[in-house]
Amino acid sequence: MGDTLRLAVGVMGNAASMLLFSAPILTFYRIIRKKSTEEFSCVPYIIALLNCLLYTWYGLPVVSYRWENFPVVTINGLGILLEFSFIFIYFWFTSARGKIKVAITVIPVILVFCITAAISAFALNDHHHRKIFVGSVALVASVAMYGSPLVVVKKVIMTQSVEYMPFYLSFFSFLASSFWMAYGLLSHDLFLAVCTIIQSLIGYNKNFCGSCTLWFSLT
């Protein structure tokens, strides 16, 4: 019963995360249509890429015990493809200066992942220590991913517009982190549970900000 419930929560977490990862599609449709990145930032997508890379690695049998975290691998593997696509589109349509900023941000992200993967695979000899190491790095990246949209709060308040911080993106973030918090607790996985508790709190704050911006848009 416990494994069935955990799997069910993992499937719901996958569905919610799919909505979260797919939410920027409308934004990038607009970028393609206007052939301009306008004032959108690529940083949240680059941080999300790091988060997906780390959690895909965390869920693989190299770090986790066999396929105990298979739902984590499936959704984050898909997230890698989506985030790479978003970053490529942004890179294609941004200015020359923007391209340099994207490269400067992406290269350290790839290096962090490669170093983390190499250390966990070759320097640590058991799953327990690998999970502690990769989980700690992923925790920082995940909190950064869920908190990164908060950087636009100042712009939202100044412009009194939800244009750069869509409410549905904040809502899907809160929903996904809530499901993964339940999954982590049911799996007795400290890193998944603690990480998503923090994410849920951040998601709540983003929903509050989103509600404020919705009020701005209606007044």
Side-chain angles (χ1 to χ4, degrees):
M1 179 63 183
D3 289 339
T4 303
L5 178 60
R6 184 170 69 91
L7 179 60
V9 173
V11 170
M12 289 187 286
N14 272 354
S17 295
M18 182 62 192
L19 292 172
L20 173 62
F21 290 144
S22 301
I25 288 176
L26 293 177
T27 296
F28 283 89
Y29 173 76
R30 169 177 170 171
I31 289 174
I32 293 171
R33 182 167 52 84
K34 293 192 173 183
K35 297 182 179 181
S36 171
T37 56
E38 300 179 275
E39 295 187 52
F40 290 104
S41 173
C42 195
V43 172
Y45 309 105
I46 297 174
I47 296 176
L49 174 63
L50 176 60
N51 179 79
C52 292
L53 287 169
L54 289 170
Y55 273 104
T56 299
W57 183 250
Y58 182 86
L60 290 172
V62 178
V63 177
S64 294
Y65 297 99
R66 298 183 179 179
W67 290 104
E68 62 175 342
N69 286 317
F70 181 71
V72 177
V73 175
T74 55
I75 188 59
N76 284 286
L78 179 60
I80 291 172
L81 295 177
L82 288 172
E83 300 306 333
F84 261 126
S85 300
F86 295 150
I87 294 169
F88 176 78
I89 293 171
Y90 188 96
F91 185 84
W92 185 265
F93 288 104
T94 193
S95 62
R97 185 177 180 181
K99 286 180 171 63
I100 295 174
K101 288 182 178 180
V102 171
I104 290 174
T105 311
V106 168
I107 291 173
V109 160
I110 300 300
L111 287 176
V112 167
F113 170 70
C114 290
I115 292 170
T116 301
I119 291 175
S120 59
F122 302 110
L124 303 175
N125 299 320
D126 59 87
H127 291 287
H128 176 69
H129 289 93
R130 288 173 182 172
K131 289 182 75 172
I132 291 176
F133 176 68
V134 178
S136 298
V137 179
L139 174 62
V140 175
S142 188
V143 171
M145 183 190 85
Y146 280 84
S148 58
L150 291 174
V151 299
V152 301
V153 170
K154 181 179 178 181
K155 181 184 293 292
V156 166
I157 294 175
M158 291 179 62
T159 61
Q160 297 187 1
S161 171
V162 297
E163 183 178 11
Y164 298 103
M165 187 179 177
F167 177 77
Y168 59 81
L169 184 60
S170 300
F171 176 72
F172 291 154
S173 173
F174 174 74
L175 190 64
S177 58
S178 297
F179 278 123
W180 287 117
M181 177 180 66
Y183 178 87
L185 292 173
L186 290 170
S187 302
H188 304 290
D189 191 311
L190 179 63
F191 287 104
L192 288 178
V194 172
C195 173
T196 47
I197 287 173
I198 297 173
Q199 291 168 7
S200 295
L201 293 175
I202 295 174
Y204 174 80
N205 288 330
K206 286 193 292 184
N207 276 329
F208 175 76
C209 293
S211 298
C212 290
T213 55
L214 182 62
W215 166 259
F216 287 146
S217 68
L218 295 174
T219 57

